[in-house]
Amino acid sequence: MTSGREASSERSAAGLAGVRVIILEDLRLVAEFFTLLCRSLGLEVVAACSSVQEGLARIRTEEPALVLMDFSLSDGSGLEAAKTLLEEMPELRIIGISSHRDPWTMLQVQRMGLHGFVDKHEQRTEVLTEAIRAVMAGRIFYTPVVNEATASLRRDPNAFIRVLSDYELRILSLI
C-alpha cells in the first residue's frame, strides 16, 4: 500500500512517462542533473548534447517531444537554435534554461514563442519540474524575470525597442 504522497507522485509522473526529451547543455554537471531530474519525472532522456550542431542533428533524427536548452553553447546560440527548431518542428516543445536574463533576451524568448523559460540564477528544482509539467500540458511557463524585463522595457520611454528601428534591432540581435 502506498501513502497519499507516493500515490500523488506516481500519478503526476505517469502523465510524463515515456515522453522523449533531449537536453542541450554544455556544462556536464548541469546536464547530468537535468537528466536525473527528467528521469525521476518519468521522461525518457534520448540524449544530452553539449553543442548546437550536435543538438540540432540529434533533435532532427530522434524527434523528441521536449527539449531543455541552454542559450550559451560552445558553438553558438541556443536561442537561435530554438528559433530554427520552432520553425522546422512546430509541435516540438522547448524550455530555455539560461543565466541570460537581460531585457533583449527576455524579449526574444517571448517574441519567438518559446514554450518555457527558467532562470538558472534563482530557481529551484521544483520550478523546473513545474515548467516541464506545464509545457507538456500545453501551457506556457516563464519564470518572473521574463515578465519583469519586458515590463521594464514598456515603462522606459528610452528603451532600445522604442529608440531603434526594426533594422537596427535585427543588427543588435546579431551582435
Side-chain angles (χ1 to χ4, degrees):
M1 184 169 164
T2 60
S3 71
R5 181 179 294 164
E6 290 170 346
S8 173
S9 177
E10 288 171 16
R11 280 193 302 274
S12 60
L16 297 174
V19 171
R20 294 165 50 84
V21 62
I22 290 183
I23 298 165
L24 266 78
E25 170 61 62
D26 59 346
L27 299 176
R28 186 177 183 149
L29 184 63
V30 176
E32 288 178 6
F33 166 73
F34 291 160
T35 299
L36 290 172
L37 177 66
C38 288
R39 288 184 177 148
S40 76
L41 295 172
L43 297 164
E44 177 189 347
V45 179
V46 177
C49 306
S50 62
S51 69
V52 170
Q53 184 178 1
E54 177 190 10
L56 289 175
R58 291 297 297 267
I59 291 165
R60 289 174 177 140
T61 58
E62 300 289 342
E63 298 182 357
L66 176 66
V67 172
L68 302 181
M69 182 180 295
D70 187 10
F71 291 164
S72 293
L73 297 164
S74 60
D75 64 339
S77 166
L79 195 57
E80 286 300 315
K83 185 177 180 180
T84 299
L85 288 167
L86 289 172
E87 291 169 359
E88 290 178 16
M89 306 169 78
E91 71 286 350
L92 179 64
R93 299 278 183 228
I94 301 175
I95 298 175
I97 305 171
S98 182
S99 57
H100 291 282
R101 44 192 273 169
D102 59 277
W104 174 254
T105 302
M106 298 301 94
L107 183 64
Q108 294 310 304
V109 163
Q110 287 184 316
R111 282 186 173 174
M112 78 169 49
L114 209 60
H115 302 98
F117 178 82
V118 176
D119 173 20
K120 280 185 179 179
H121 285 286
E122 300 175 4
Q123 303 310 314
R124 300 176 326 278
T125 304
E126 296 83 10
V127 174
L128 180 55
T129 299
E130 183 182 348
I132 292 169
R133 288 187 175 131
V135 166
M136 292 314 299
R139 297 186 309 270
I140 301 293
F141 185 96
Y142 296 149
T143 52
V145 70
V146 176
N147 293 330
E148 291 166 5
T150 54
S152 73
L153 288 175
R154 284 192 301 271
R155 287 190 306 268
D156 183 358
N158 296 318
F160 63 86
I161 60 172
R162 298 182 198 284
V163 176
L164 301 177
S165 70
D166 286 343
Y167 177 74
E168 291 168 327
L169 286 172
R170 281 195 298 274
I171 297 299
L172 180 62
S173 73
L174 296 173
I175 294 171

